[in-house]
């Protein structure tokens, strides 16, 4: 099976929403023109975007692959393509057990003083939401590829 990474189209909007919601990641701000999708035999199996923020920072976000295709390099291919198409500084928010995964792409954990304004604000909100919505203690990280 050959996976094609391509820009999303308007027709992909519903599938993008379904994949992101099924992955239980932030479903806000899913603007399809920013997305790349991974497609196999006409079926979208993975998604990802780079989201701009008002402070000028850009976020690698909404990276998700359907469960039956996880572990096959699809997420990695999407991230590599998003980085190639969006040179310069990129940031992301993730749970701590994903830190090693994102380090492979040149991201590192940021100290509060290194974070753009948007991420300083969102860090605390994400910590509170994580504690309220999960039974186990989860730490949210802000990482950057600077």
């Amino acid at each position: 099976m050959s996976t094609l990474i391509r820009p999303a189209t308007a027709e992909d909007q519903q599938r993008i929403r379904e994949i992101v919601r099924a992955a239980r990641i932030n479903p806000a701000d899913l603007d399809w023109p920013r997305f790349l999708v991974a497609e196999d035999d006409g079926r979208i199996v993975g998604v990802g975007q780079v989201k701009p923020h008002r402070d000028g920072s850009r976020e690698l976000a909404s990276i998700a692959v359907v469960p039956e295709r996880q572990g096959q390099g699809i997420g990695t291919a999407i991230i590599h393509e998003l980085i190639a198409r969006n040179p310069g500084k990129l940031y992301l928010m993730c749970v701590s057990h994903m830190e090693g995964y994102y380090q492979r792409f040149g991201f590192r954990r940021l100290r509060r003083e290194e974070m753009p304004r948007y991420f300083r604000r969102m860090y605390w909100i994400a910590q509170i939401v994580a504690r309220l919505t999960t039974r186990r203690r989860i730490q949210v990280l802000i990482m950057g590829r600077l």
Side-chain angles (χ1 to χ4, degrees):
M1 227 178 301
S2 178
T3 304
L4 169 70
I5 307 296
R6 64 166 176 80
T9 65
E11 292 76 32
D12 300 328
Q13 290 180 80
Q14 184 59 36
R15 185 71 177 140
I16 290 168
R17 279 191 218 101
E18 291 168 2
I19 290 172
V20 167
R21 286 193 177 123
R24 302 186 70 184
I25 55 179
N26 184 358
D29 206 13
L30 303 179
D31 190 16
W32 70 265
R34 294 192 302 251
F35 273 82
L36 293 181
V37 298
E39 184 180 284
D40 273 338
D41 296 324
R43 180 171 178 257
I44 296 174
V45 296
V47 301
Q49 69 169 321
V50 170
K51 192 171 18 174
H53 298 295
R54 287 187 186 159
D55 65 359
S57 65
R58 296 173 307 142
E59 179 181 6
L60 183 73
S62 312
I63 308 298
V65 176
V66 297
E68 65 271 17
R69 297 302 307 277
Q70 291 175 3
Q72 298 176 18
I74 294 169
T76 296
I78 291 169
I79 292 169
H80 278 302
E81 190 63 27
L82 284 167
I83 290 170
R85 291 174 183 235
N86 295 276
K89 294 180 182 180
L90 286 175
Y91 300 89
L92 63 83
M93 234 182 312
C94 68
V95 291
S96 58
H97 72 268
M98 294 297 292
E99 182 175 13
Y101 178 77
Y102 289 111
Q103 285 174 336
R104 298 181 344 194
F105 304 100
F107 287 89
R108 66 173 177 80
R109 185 189 303 210
L110 299 179
R111 297 181 312 276
R112 180 169 166 68
E113 59 272 12
E114 295 177 287
M115 297 176 194
R117 185 177 332 133
Y118 171 84
F119 287 94
R120 282 194 307 268
R121 187 176 69 243
M122 291 308 296
Y123 174 76
W124 297 112
I125 294 169
Q127 295 288 16
I128 292 166
V129 170
R131 287 191 180 113
L132 292 175
T133 59
T134 62
R135 292 174 188 222
R136 48 195 170 114
R137 194 147 177 95
I138 291 179
Q139 182 184 8
V140 175
L141 304 178
I142 305 299
M143 299 183 76
R145 187 174 194 277
L146 311 178

